[in-house]
Amino acid sequence: MKVFKFGGASVKDADGFRNFARILQRYANDSVMVILSALGKSTNALEEIQAAYIKRDNERLTMLFETLCQKHIELTEQLFDKKEQKKAVQADLEGFFQQMQQQFGQEPNANPAFLYDQIVSKGEQLSTVIAAHFLRAQGLKCQWIDVRNYIKTDNTYREGTVDWAETSKYIRQLQQETAAQTGIWITQGFLGGTPEGFTTTLGREGSDYSAAIFAHCLDAESLSIWKDVPGILNGDPRIVKDAQLIGELSYEEAIEMAFYGATVIHHKTVKPLQNKDIPLYVRSFINPDVEGTVIRSRVSAQQLPLIALKTNQILIDVYTKDFSFIDGAQLGKIVSLLSKYNITPHLSQNSAISYTTCVTHNHRIAELLDELSLYFDVRYQGPIEILTIRHFNDEVIAKQLGSRKVILQQKDDQTETLYMVIEGSSGIRK
Ligand code: ASP
Ligand code: MG
């Protein structure tokens, strides 16, 4: 079986859906598991809906919700010619709209992260319903699957942790049921389900990760991520002029660059594939004949410098209060607090009496800083960014750095990687 992932940009409008179906027509005799995101930008719209609901801003909520419903209904008007087909898909959409309305009729008293997942998850449910109906209308054999019955997570809302044993069990059952059949199975990226039957999300842009989970559990022959770029470039073209396409990349380089800010694939995507030696193709949905980039274990040596920028970071400096050393016990305390708030250090360094780390700024940082302050003197600064250059040379460094000040720097000769913490360009609040 092949696993395909299509992002929101590929299905942002009717033409996008037609192109999506044309690509799948090429695989009509294969068996393909398709993981789809919400329509372009609708996850952002749903986040705004959730915020208005929590603030009890009913006027705004109604306006935003109506816009969302209209967008989906209009799309079906453009995609389906036959009356019965239109009626069937719109009835399915209506079911989801009603669930949302029912939610909005209740007081938003529950945990906001829980409410976020119950609401924001609707984007993928709606997009996949339209896609399944549309593929069938194009004569393709297609089955819609509710991912919440397959990807099982704990109840860490907004960042569900996958229960791999349960998830593998359910996905393998699906595989047995569908063995030897050809056709398309379509399901939602980004979502999971708790054992109690609630919906979770896996973190923004998490659909790549969903696809990797399916590929892993299905022992897929490959995962293809279809994007609006020709493949992986050696840097984000918004920050790297003359960025070039990379033909192949090792799992190690891919996971490092994704971790350090290369947004072309979600950073959690690589591990499940590496663990089963499943190749990952990053390909263009605009030019499906172009080969793109393959990520796998054996590749020829990388020549191009690889550049990534990790934004939205803060630098935290922790000092012992009484001039005692940062020893194992002190480090342990700091690390256990990072772990408690589910915060990953991206670059760390220590001296006799201080420990410094860079972390992503998120809604739990304030709590972390408060608790660290009970034991240490804590300072923080932001916005900062981490500029990572693999296979660096002086020319590339100078070009990327420009006039920006380097606050902290680390060099790894073995992997030819230079990490630079630099002043950022976006505003950050505590
Ligand atoms: N729709 C979700 C998001 O925009 C997940 C994804 O696209 O990967 O974050
Ligand atoms: Mg996306």
Side-chain angles (χ1 to χ4, degrees):
M1 195 175 227
K2 293 182 170 69
V3 178
F4 284 179
K5 182 261 175 174
F6 287 87
S10 65
V11 290
K12 65 179 195 305
D13 53 22
D15 279 344
F17 266 94
R18 291 187 192 107
N19 183 55
F20 162 75
R22 267 196 306 274
I23 292 176
L24 289 170
Q25 291 281 9
R26 295 165 164 237
Y27 299 90
N29 300 321
D30 266 303
S31 45
V32 185
M33 170 64 72
V34 176
I35 314 298
L36 187 63
S37 299
L39 307 191
K41 304 276 186 288
S42 53
T43 303
N44 293 350
L46 282 156
E47 283 190 342
E48 286 184 46
I49 288 176
Q50 184 257 2
Y53 171 53
I54 286 193
K55 277 196 230 135
R56 298 177 163 86
D57 186 345
N58 282 335
E59 208 174 303
R60 188 167 161 72
L61 175 63
T62 307
M63 187 271 287
L64 291 168
F65 179 54
E66 271 173 15
T67 309
L68 182 93
C69 297
Q70 257 166 30
K71 180 173 160 177
H72 287 83
I73 294 292
E74 258 166 39
L75 183 65
T76 60
E77 292 291 336
Q78 291 164 13
L79 285 174
F80 297 88
D81 303 323
K82 296 208 179 94
K83 231 190 188 156
E84 335 62 272
Q85 287 174 349
K86 213 178 275 188
K87 228 168 107 185
V89 64
Q90 290 177 352
D92 278 354
L93 295 183
E94 204 50 54
F96 289 112
F97 297 151
Q98 272 166 18
Q99 288 170 15
M100 294 177 85
Q101 226 149 9
Q102 212 163 25
Q103 175 78 61
F104 299 147
Q106 291 167 24
E107 285 298 309
N109 295 331
N111 164 13
F114 168 81
L115 291 175
Y116 176 101
D117 282 1
Q118 311 319 303
I119 294 167
V120 173
S121 56
K122 287 291 181 278
E124 272 70 11
Q125 297 175 30
L126 296 167
S127 68
T128 50
V129 159
I130 297 175
H133 278 272
F134 185 61
L135 294 177
R136 285 196 287 264
Q138 306 307 300
L140 286 160
K141 197 171 138 200
C142 174
Q143 197 177 324
W144 184 87
I145 284 169
D146 189 335
V147 77
R148 297 171 299 177
N149 299 329
Y150 295 92
I151 295 187
K152 289 293 174 187
T153 71
D154 67 358
N155 59 3
T156 316
Y157 294 104
R158 295 192 69 159
E159 191 78 57
T161 304
V162 173
D163 180 335
W164 281 93
E166 286 293 293
T167 300
S168 303
K169 185 178 86 189
Y170 289 116
I171 295 181
R172 269 200 229 111
Q173 275 169 15
L174 175 72
Q175 187 178 27
Q176 276 157 14
E177 285 157 26
T178 57
Q181 291 179 38
T182 59
I184 293 162
W185 287 265
I186 187 159
T187 198
Q188 305 79 41
F190 182 49
L191 317 188
T194 68
E196 302 79 30
F198 293 114
T199 308
T200 49
T201 60
L202 306 177
R204 284 301 307 263
E205 303 300 331
S207 296
D208 293 353
Y209 181 42
S210 309
I213 297 168
F214 269 94
H216 177 101
C217 297
L218 289 167
D219 288 306
E221 59 177 270
S222 62
L223 165 61
S224 299
I225 296 186
W226 296 86
K227 297 196 64 96
D228 55 1
V229 288
I232 297 186
L233 306 180
N234 71 325
D236 183 334
R238 285 169 299 189
I239 58 160
V240 178
K241 252 207 243 154
D242 321 317
Q244 292 176 58
L245 183 69
I246 301 168
E248 50 177 17
L249 203 59
S250 67
Y251 290 122
E252 189 194 324
E253 294 211 301
I255 200 169
E256 289 291 338
M257 297 317 284
F259 185 75
Y260 283 103
T263 52
V264 65
I265 49 169
H266 188 271
H267 60 276
K268 287 186 181 168
T269 311
V270 182
K271 179 185 185 292
L273 303 175
Q274 188 277 345
N275 290 173
K276 291 262 181 100
D277 210 0
I278 298 167
L280 166 60
Y281 295 91
V282 179
R283 310 178 54 177
S284 161
F285 61 73
I286 302 160
N287 279 316
D289 290 324
V290 174
E291 249 177 36
T293 304
V294 55
I295 297 167
R296 59 185 166 211
S297 50
R298 278 170 305 281
V299 297
S300 39
Q302 182 58 47
Q303 304 297 334
L304 289 172
L306 305 175
I307 300 155
L309 185 69
K310 199 160 181 78
T311 55
N312 192 33
Q313 302 292 296
I314 63 169
L315 190 72
I316 304 176
D317 282 310
V318 177
Y319 298 83
T320 52
K321 281 189 195 276
D322 58 356
F323 236 64
S324 55
F325 293 125
I326 289 282
D327 57 10
Q330 305 278 30
L331 258 183
K333 203 179 274 175
I334 300 168
V335 172
S336 72
L337 286 179
L338 290 173
S339 161
K340 175 175 171 185
Y341 292 102
N342 209 0
I343 289 165
T344 304
H346 297 130
L347 208 68
S348 306
Q349 174 169 298
N350 74 281
S351 70
I353 58 162
S354 75
Y355 169 83
T356 303
T357 190
C358 273
V359 301
T360 299
H361 187 263
N362 69 18
H363 61 287
R364 306 209 65 187
I365 290 292
E367 280 174 279
L368 168 75
L369 294 176
D370 285 346
E371 196 164 347
L372 272 173
S373 305
L374 299 176
Y375 311 101
F376 302 95
D377 286 330
V378 180
R379 287 178 221 156
Y380 66 93
Q381 59 170 305
I384 54 143
E385 293 172 352
I386 306 173
L387 174 63
T388 302
I389 308 178
R390 228 170 146 104
H391 316 297
F392 58 88
N393 59 49
D394 290 345
E395 194 192 334
V396 182
I397 297 168
K399 206 161 149 187
Q400 288 311 312
L401 207 51
S403 59
R404 291 207 273 176
K405 197 176 121 204
V406 178
I407 302 165
L408 191 148
Q409 172 167 318
Q410 276 176 25
K411 197 165 116 188
D412 181 341
D413 276 338
Q414 235 157 33
T415 59
E416 295 178 35
T417 308
L418 181 67
Y419 305 89
M420 285 174 286
V421 174
I422 57 177
E423 288 171 327
S425 44
S426 55
I428 282 176
R429 284 164 288 114
K430 180 178 168 184

